[in-house]
Amino acid sequence: MTGVLRAYFPILRSREEILKEIQSKGELNRIFNSWEEKYQEEFLNFCTGAKGVKMLYDFCAKAILDPELYPERIEELISLLLGKKVKLLKVLPNDNTRIADETSLLIMDFLVQLQDGSVVNVEVQKVGYAFPGQRSACYCADLLLRQYRQVRKEMTKETFSYRKISNVYTIVLFEKSTPEFHQFPEKYIHKFQQKSDTGLKMNLLQEFVFVALDIYKQNHQNRSIKKRLEGWLTFLSSDKPEDIIALIEKYPDFKTMYEQVYEICQNIEQVMGMFSKELYELDRNTVRYMIDELQEENQRQKEENQRQREENRRQKEKIEQMEAELREALKKLEEYKR
């Protein structure tokens, strides 16, 4: 399959060429030999095209999906996920209050304002956080409050109107989604917005889109790409050469984005440094994910223990009540005998 990819991307170099360059430079050789064998193979497969590009490597995603450099790409992705045509107005500084450990789990996190005033926060997470709904709601509320304060600052007390506050959209794409998403193995896009139980229409400003790329990948194995959104999700989730070829044959403009990454791969020293950082973040992500899992398991165990204690207490009270009733019955029986 490497030869097939090279027919599309002649810039790709052979495994032998890359290894020769690494071995000719002492520091690169030291770094390469410090990796586990599976990561050495992953790096060589990535650079030679033996496997396709993992677009969710941090340095790939940031190079390809920079909203400052390629607003048209972000516009299209957001439009497809929201189901309506949008136009970017500007990129906003992303100064929301994240916990430090959480930033290590993010591949990308950018904030843009649309021409209609709406604000869109797009996150790409390598490993999904525990409690994704609660976390997303908190950050969305933070962005809504930030917008409210800005409107209040720009207007006087007399001219202020809540009409000036626009929708806030939160879009989260998971490379590895959390367990609740796997309760719906046939669904990989979930959209949320607040609705009344009476049919009353009211804009509560906050909407959410969650995309489980791992579930999409499972569902679309050996299937042809039929829609543009499927093209984007394939681009973001699959590193199979056959998927890449199918994608660029269906939508040739994606080829340019792959070529950008293969251009980066020409600088072996640079890409090895970025790959080392990926491995470091992978370790941090794994530890953070395991901590979250252990915390959840610990909480479940505490709740189970609490339920057991409550049940034991109820059983004890029931037994004590039965003993009291038996003592009372025995007392009455002895009185009757006398």
Side-chain angles (χ1 to χ4, degrees):
M1 190 60 74
T2 307
V4 177
L5 276 178
R6 194 170 293 167
Y8 288 86
F9 305 102
I11 196 173
L12 285 169
R13 290 192 284 172
S14 70
R15 181 187 182 95
E16 291 72 26
E17 289 173 320
I18 291 172
L19 280 173
K20 184 178 179 181
E21 180 175 345
I22 291 172
Q23 291 163 0
S24 70
K25 298 178 181 178
E27 181 60 18
L28 296 189
N29 199 41
R30 184 195 66 77
I31 293 171
F32 185 77
N33 289 326
S34 72
W35 297 340
E36 293 179 38
E37 186 177 349
K38 65 179 179 179
Y39 294 129
Q40 292 178 352
E41 287 300 311
E42 183 174 335
F43 177 78
L44 291 171
N45 289 339
F46 168 65
C47 290
T48 63
K51 275 195 174 180
V53 176
K54 271 191 176 180
M55 282 301 172
L56 291 188
Y57 282 144
D58 182 78
F59 65 91
C60 293
K62 287 177 178 174
I64 300 303
L65 297 177
D66 186 330
E68 298 268 16
L69 297 176
Y70 307 107
E72 70 284 355
R73 295 174 183 174
I74 302 306
E75 282 175 356
E76 182 183 42
L77 183 58
I78 291 174
S79 295
L80 291 168
L81 289 172
L82 294 184
K84 62 180 181 180
K85 185 72 174 175
V86 304
K87 187 74 176 172
L88 262 62
L89 178 64
K90 60 183 176 180
V91 179
L92 299 174
N94 201 341
D95 59 354
N96 53 16
T97 52
R98 292 197 179 277
I99 299 170
D101 281 337
E102 292 182 352
T103 59
S104 70
L105 298 177
L106 285 169
I107 297 170
M108 289 192 71
D109 179 21
F110 58 82
L111 190 65
V112 296
Q113 187 174 34
L114 307 181
Q115 283 192 343
D116 66 357
S118 300
V119 173
V120 184
N121 179 214
V122 180
E123 295 181 11
V124 184
Q125 298 180 13
K126 184 170 285 293
V127 180
Y129 300 138
F131 313 110
Q134 294 93 322
R135 291 176 190 246
S136 296
C138 287
Y139 294 127
C140 186
D142 180 60
L143 292 173
L144 195 61
L145 182 59
R146 177 174 155 184
Q147 187 184 172
Y148 166 78
R149 286 172 176 162
Q150 185 63 32
V151 171
R152 286 294 302 265
K153 182 179 177 181
E154 293 172 354
M155 304 181 72
T156 65
K157 187 175 181 180
E158 291 73 23
T159 60
F160 172 80
S161 170
Y162 282 99
R163 289 180 182 275
K164 297 291 184 180
I165 300 174
S166 302
N167 283 34
V168 175
Y169 299 95
T170 301
I171 298 174
V172 184
L173 299 99
F174 303 98
E175 183 175 15
K176 179 179 174 58
S177 56
T178 50
E180 53 263 62
F181 290 94
H182 293 265
Q183 297 174 25
F184 300 86
E186 303 297 319
K187 304 290 183 182
Y188 47 86
I189 298 179
H190 303 268
K191 297 183 179 182
F192 293 81
Q193 60 182 142
Q194 295 163 306
K195 294 182 179 180
S196 75
D197 61 351
T198 61
L200 175 66
K201 301 288 186 182
M202 192 178 293
N203 184 9
L204 298 179
L205 297 175
Q206 300 176 69
E207 297 187 28
F208 303 84
V209 181
F210 296 98
V211 184
L213 292 171
D214 51 347
I215 295 176
Y216 168 80
K217 193 173 176 181
Q218 292 167 9
N219 274 273
H220 279 74
Q221 289 184 31
N222 304 316
R223 293 188 186 180
S224 60
I225 299 167
K226 296 179 179 178
K227 298 178 180 179
R228 186 72 181 181
L229 179 55
E230 291 176 1
W232 269 104
L233 299 185
T234 298
F235 176 74
L236 293 171
S237 66
S238 181
D239 63 347
K240 292 182 178 180
E242 57 268 31
D243 288 344
I244 292 175
I245 292 169
L247 175 59
I248 63 179
E249 287 183 346
K250 176 74 173 178
Y251 297 113
D253 57 302
F254 279 98
K255 185 179 179 183
T256 301
M257 291 185 261
Y258 287 111
E259 287 173 337
Q260 281 182 253
V261 175
Y262 286 134
E263 284 284 352
I264 294 172
C265 290
Q266 298 309 296
N267 187 332
I268 291 297
E269 186 171 354
Q270 179 188 23
V271 80
M272 283 186 73
M274 293 186 292
F275 191 77
S276 288
K277 185 179 177 183
E278 289 285 341
L279 298 183
Y280 171 72
E281 293 297 344
L282 177 63
D283 287 341
R284 291 186 66 194
N285 291 343
T286 301
V287 169
R288 181 71 255 171
Y289 183 70
M290 290 173 66
I291 289 171
D292 279 350
E293 288 287 291
L294 287 171
Q295 286 176 339
E296 281 196 75
E297 181 59 34
N298 186 42
Q299 184 61 33
R300 283 194 292 268
Q301 192 62 53
K302 284 181 179 178
E303 291 171 356
E304 181 59 34
N305 291 342
Q306 181 62 31
R307 283 193 293 269
Q308 191 61 53
R309 284 195 292 270
E310 288 294 321
E311 181 62 26
N312 291 342
R313 183 184 60 78
R314 286 193 294 269
Q315 289 292 338
K316 183 180 178 181
E317 289 176 352
K318 189 175 181 180
I319 290 170
E320 289 174 348
Q321 184 180 356
M322 290 174 65
E323 288 176 346
E325 290 173 353
L326 287 171
R327 284 195 293 271
E328 185 64 25
L330 182 59
K331 181 180 178 182
K332 288 182 179 179
L333 181 59
E334 288 174 349
E335 290 174 351
Y336 176 76
K337 284 180 179 179
R338 289 198 294 268

